[in-house]
Amino acid sequence: MYLYRLKLWPVFLIGFGIGSLLALILFAAQDLFNNISICQKSSLNLYSTNRNDLKWFMSDTWIKQETVIQSWKDSTNMTYSKWLNNRKLRSKNIDMDIYLYGPESREESEAEWLKSNIHITCIVFVKKVKLARSIQDTWGKHCNKIYFFGQVKDPKMPIINFDIKLVSSWQLLCEAFKYVWKSSETLEWLIFVKDDTLVVLENLRYMLGPLNHTQNHYLGHAVTLWGQSYNVADAGYVISVGVLRKLIKMFDNSEKCAISGKYWKQEDYYLAKHLASMGIYPSDTRDQYLRGTFHGYSLQSLLWGGVKTGVYWTRALYPVKNECCSFMSVTFNVGESEKMHTLNYLLYHFHVLKRKAVFGSRKAAISISDKDVWRVALEEEFNITNLNNISSEVYYEIWHAKYSEPGQLISKNYQAND
């Protein structure tokens, strides 16, 4: 036994030496990587925690200016406001106080009009059922139609599972194309996202408004890898029905889907490769300030320094300059179900009234004054109409004689409701 332990010592020392050497190499590599990150700060401004750098995000002046998407310049040479004017429409500011608390017969909001006129089909690829449920309960309601695809099942979620052996994530995407195409639903625009993504559909419709869905459009955050530019799946990507029609023609059966991509987690790359063979390439989705609109990271990471330099930034086909996030951003990464609900609340239910409220600060209208409530109670409960000489002591005795205990009144109300 003693000799056996002696034989183990050289093995231990050799292993310890190799481990220490690897640790030193990793430490040096990390230090080099951090130096690269610092060099990128000046151009990307993703790491600063100085609150003065966030003035652009809090500025009312910039919000009032129209956001112009770069892809409009190449495709239509038209802005969103010009597109509305060509449709004989114009937008105007509404009083949020009246909108929230005023009469129900209000004017149609711009978001409501956009939803009825720009049809977006949402395709979500599911790995975690809890996240898929969150999408269904939050931003998924703003899609015109939503599909969930995956290899998991849940009795409460309509997750579509294909009864074939999938050899790659590209095959799953390709089969999803065919499934949606065969549906009887209206198809104009399709957005493809993972289940950890939040989509602001109103901003996406703003971006898509001036574009023609029958033409070839492929939108997202584009990077270049191995000489091929493609929109990253982590940020989500959008195709027009014009592009979908060409994909369906190219992949008209399951065998073609299976043999046209063999690696998992590369479906976004394969999609771009096949589109490039048809002359379709990613469009520039930055705004006029060269800020990004499709984000494969969380908002808090983008603003407060959690993002590290990677292919997403260094190989960007259309590099983000100055600030990270456009006011018309479309997607963000949200890895937790609770955060999905929180952001949905802030987006659609939380309102800030910047001036003195009118309707919101008024008391609710009542049909009976506080002084007359006790009279109504006696008339309805005891059929007593002569109320002129009833003192507070008599009022108490009337109630106490019939209901000596509070529980009796509670049980009576339950019986009445049944």
Side-chain angles (χ1 to χ4, degrees), residues 369-383:
S369 66
D370 294 341
K371 294 181 179 179
D372 293 331
V373 170
W374 70 275
R375 296 175 182 271
V376 175
L378 289 180
E379 290 178 1
E380 292 181 352
E381 187 72 17
F382 303 100
N383 197 26

Side-chain angles (χ1 to χ4, degrees), residues 69-134:
I69 306 301
Q70 296 292 324
S71 60
W72 295 345
K73 298 178 181 179
D74 299 330
S75 303
T76 63
N77 196 27
M78 182 184 298
T79 65
Y80 178 80
S81 60
K82 289 181 181 179
W83 174 71
L84 284 182
N85 289 334
N86 288 347
R87 285 174 160 255
K88 309 300 181 184
L89 296 169
R90 63 183 181 87
S91 60
K92 64 178 182 179
N93 294 329
I94 61 175
D95 189 320
M96 285 301 296
D97 198 26
I98 297 176
Y99 182 79
L100 293 174
Y101 304 105
E104 293 185 5
S105 57
R106 62 175 186 261
E107 296 179 280
E108 183 181 34
S109 71
E110 192 168 349
E112 293 167 342
W113 182 86
L114 285 172
K115 184 176 181 181
S116 61
N117 285 271
I118 300 178
H119 193 287
I120 298 179
T121 301
C122 303
I123 291 91
V124 181
F125 295 103
V126 181
K127 285 188 176 181
K128 297 181 180 179
V129 172
K130 189 175 181 181
L131 284 172
R133 289 180 181 177
S134 298

Side-chain angles (χ1 to χ4, degrees), residues 168-288:
S168 68
S169 54
W170 158 253
Q171 186 183 4
L172 174 61
L173 174 61
C174 190
E175 293 292 342
F177 290 152
K178 297 196 288 134
Y179 185 96
V180 174
W181 180 257
K182 292 178 181 177
S183 69
S184 58
E185 302 292 334
T186 301
L187 291 176
E188 292 182 357
W189 298 95
L190 301 92
I191 181 168
F192 300 82
V193 296
K194 297 181 178 181
D195 58 5
D196 59 355
T197 305
L198 180 141
V199 182
V200 185
L201 271 301
E202 291 77 10
N203 287 355
L204 179 56
R205 290 188 175 96
Y206 177 92
M207 178 184 294
L208 300 178
L211 305 178
N212 188 338
H213 63 268
T214 63
Q215 296 176 351
N216 300 329
H217 294 289
Y218 174 40
L219 312 171
H221 175 84
V223 301
T224 302
L225 186 64
W226 301 324
Q228 177 64 58
S229 57
Y230 67 98
N231 287 319
V232 179
D234 287 342
Y237 47 86
V238 176
I239 62 172
S240 61
V241 70
V243 171
L244 179 62
R245 185 175 289 108
K246 288 181 171 60
L247 287 168
I248 295 300
K249 188 176 181 179
M250 177 179 283
F251 303 101
D252 54 2
N253 60 61
S254 295
E255 183 180 356
K256 291 181 180 179
C257 288
I259 64 175
S260 54
K262 61 181 180 178
Y263 296 111
W264 285 93
K265 299 182 180 180
Q266 298 292 333
E267 74 281 357
D268 47 5
Y269 177 83
Y270 286 121
L271 171 62
K273 184 177 180 181
H274 297 309
L275 290 179
S277 69
M278 296 183 280
I280 302 171
Y281 302 96
S283 299
D284 188 350
T285 57
R286 298 173 299 174
D287 65 14
Q288 72 265 43

Side-chain angles (χ1 to χ4, degrees), residues 281-298:
Y281 302 96
S283 299
D284 188 350
T285 57
R286 298 173 299 174
D287 65 14
Q288 72 265 43
Y289 305 105
L290 304 184
R291 300 174 300 190
T293 52
F294 287 78
H295 308 288
Y297 296 93
S298 67

Side-chain angles (χ1 to χ4, degrees), residues 293-304:
T293 52
F294 287 78
H295 308 288
Y297 296 93
S298 67
L299 179 60
Q300 53 267 44
S301 295
L302 291 166
L303 292 180
W304 303 111

Side-chain angles (χ1 to χ4, degrees), residues 27-86:
F27 180 80
Q30 183 181 18
D31 186 61
L32 176 63
F33 186 80
N34 287 337
N35 288 336
I36 295 174
S37 298
I38 293 171
C39 292
Q40 294 293 326
K41 284 184 185 180
S42 58
S43 60
L44 296 178
N45 196 24
L46 297 175
Y47 311 90
S48 175
T49 56
N50 185 350
R51 296 193 65 86
N52 292 329
D53 294 336
L54 297 178
K55 286 183 179 179
W56 61 270
F57 194 74
M58 309 300 291
S59 172
D60 289 338
T61 304
W62 280 39
I63 293 175
K64 293 177 182 178
Q65 295 180 5
E66 181 181 16
T67 301
V68 179
I69 306 301
Q70 296 292 324
S71 60
W72 295 345
K73 298 178 181 179
D74 299 330
S75 303
T76 63
N77 196 27
M78 182 184 298
T79 65
Y80 178 80
S81 60
K82 289 181 181 179
W83 174 71
L84 284 182
N85 289 334
N86 288 347

